[in-house]
Amino acid sequence: MAAATATALESWQAAAPRKRRSAARRPRPREVAPRGPEAEFESDSGVVLRRIWEAEKDLFISDFWSSALETINRCLTKHLEQLKAPVGSLSDIFGNLHLDSLPDESDVAPDSIPRETLVTGTCHLKCVCYGIGNFATCIIARNQLTFLLLLLEKCQIPRSHCWVYDPLFSQLEIEVLNTLGVTVLSENEEGKRSIRGEPTIFYMLHCGTALYNNLLWSNWSVDALSKMVIIGNSFKGLEERLLARILQKNYPYIAKESGDDK
């Protein structure tokens, strides 16, 4: 019995190394497909860029884009006329500072075709975008970015003349924006950007009230305001949602705009 046991043990001991060698020959998972940080970024950024491209195609053929284009074109037409006309009062300027409300879908002809380019004349526009959100993970933010890219194309604004910022941007999103050709601001301006005499579109969807107030404060002159277009929240809506004393105390320039617009 002892001999049989020893023989069996020797057989087991002899088999054990073969099992280890067999296991050693199996490729480890991390050796099959090694991936460094650069490879992971290329894969992730490619996915985000593809989703942006798909969203752009969907938006371009939508009724919403057609109606939005008509509204923006009307606003830019007024804007150009304002630039050519003698400088008026602040009250006159505020009428063209914001986009009008979008038309109802029933007002848009089903077969209407958007203009290839919007009315910009010889005016060289620039664009500043604040608060677009995490477009890599949020579909709403991605649609907002897609709208911006189409807007730049229709207004014939080079992407290099578009500055974007959101404190929430991830490193991946910053790299994607650089790939798209827009300029990512490195510092938070808090909306305090002077247009310095250059006609500028501010794309500020759903930004905080303080950001709008800071923007008005930084450009509080007839000349500067006459060269600005803001695509964003309605100042009238902000006025209706806030108590008058809060508006006057915390957002005085929005209060001035609302007061002059009455």
Side-chain angles (χ1 to χ4, degrees), residues 78 82 89-100 216 220 225 233-237 239-240 247 252-262:
K78 292 180 181 179
Q82 184 172 271
S89 65
L90 282 175
S91 299
D92 298 330
I93 300 305
F94 288 140
N96 294 328
L97 186 59
H98 286 87
L99 293 180
D100 297 328
L216 292 178
W220 195 254
L225 293 175
N233 294 349
S234 165
F235 287 173
K236 183 178 180 181
E239 180 189 11
E240 292 173 349
L247 193 68
Y253 287 88
I254 293 179
K256 289 180 183 180
E257 188 277 342
S258 302
D260 287 338
D261 198 32
K262 290 179 180 178

Side-chain angles (χ1 to χ4, degrees), residues 68-84:
L69 217 54
E70 290 297 323
T71 300
I72 295 170
N73 196 58
R74 288 199 306 272
C75 183
L76 289 180
T77 300
K78 292 180 181 179
H79 181 64
L80 291 175
E81 292 173 352
Q82 184 172 271
L83 291 177
K84 296 176 183 177

